[in-house]
Structure formats: structure tokens, C-alpha cells
Amino acid sequence: GGGGGGDSGNGTNGTGGNGTGGNNTRMHDVKIDTSYSNSVNGIRIKSEETGLFDINETATLICNKKYKIDFKTVNEGNFIEDINFSGKLSSFNWTARKTNLEPGISTTTGSKTINITFAPGNYDLEIKATLVVDNDMSDNMRTRKVKVVC
């Protein structure tokens, strides 16, 4: 009994810890999953012509060919979220939106098929997933190097 009282006394520190834990357990957070199969840094690129994934560190995209840009976003928080997605490759930009994504569930909303009409050269492909409030922004953006060849 007395030992229990001592534990209760230590509970003050525990309460502080629980307060922090409370913040962690009630949070808004989405991430672009870097462990997505056949992806580099969470971004998957597939040739529409061959059906093959480019898993090289720098993806090679051929002029006038179509490629599907694909990524998986996970709701890591415990609120139902509405997520805005944006992608950019050179001057080509796209957006998408996923509403009511349940906690712990993933989505591939935001994927896009692109016809490569850019000048030859090196580019950064950028993908973002954003919430109105996100308690951890560190995993919301991914980039991947691509090289366009003609």
C-alpha cells in the first residue's frame, strides 16, 4: 500500500509524461511512405509503355513517353483527414485531394500519368501532402531526381 503511495508520488512526473503522451496520441499527421514498393524515396515511376518501374536513384525518362508517378500517403495521426496533394516536374504541376482518410489508412490519391515533353536535362520531381494542421511536417514532402533524355 505504502509502495503504491510512493508510485503515486512519482505520478507527478508520470503526469507530465502522460501530458506529452496525450499530445502524441491526439495528433494530425500524414506522411508519404518511403517504404512503398518499387519506389525511390517514396516516389514510384512506371513506364506506361513497358510496365516496368524505374528503381534507379536517378530515373531516366524518355521524351514523348508516358510515365505514371505514384506514391502512398499514410494517415499517421488519429483524426480523419482531408489531404491536399501537389506534384511538380519542371513546368508541369498537378494537384489532387483526398477527403475523409481514416487514421491508419493509406491512399495513392495524387498519382499522375505524365507525357514527357520537357527539354533534355536533370530535374527534381517533387511531391507534397498537406493538411490544414500537421503536427509533423518532416515527412510530407519527397523529391526524386529524374533525367530526361531524347
Side-chain angles (χ1 to χ4, degrees), residues 52-132:
L52 299 175
F53 296 103
D54 188 326
I55 55 172
N56 295 306
E57 195 63 33
T58 299
T60 300
L61 308 182
I62 300 167
C63 286
N64 302 311
K65 301 287 183 188
K66 290 183 180 179
Y67 295 87
K68 183 173 183 185
I69 310 300
D70 195 10
F71 57 97
K72 181 169 74 172
T73 305
V74 182
N75 183 352
E76 293 221 303
N78 44 19
F79 292 93
I80 295 171
E81 301 291 4
D82 295 338
I83 310 164
N84 290 308
F85 299 98
S86 62
K88 178 176 172 35
L89 178 59
S90 183
S91 60
F92 183 79
N93 296 278
W94 74 96
T95 59
R97 183 167 167 82
K98 173 71 175 174
T99 57
N100 300 318
L101 186 65
E102 299 277 345
I105 303 299
S106 65
T107 180
T108 55
T109 298
S111 300
K112 188 73 174 174
T113 299
I114 300 175
N115 185 24
I116 302 304
T117 56
F118 317 114
N122 295 309
Y123 299 92
D124 285 330
L125 171 60
E126 298 177 2
I127 304 290
K128 293 180 189 170
T130 54
L131 301 174
V132 173

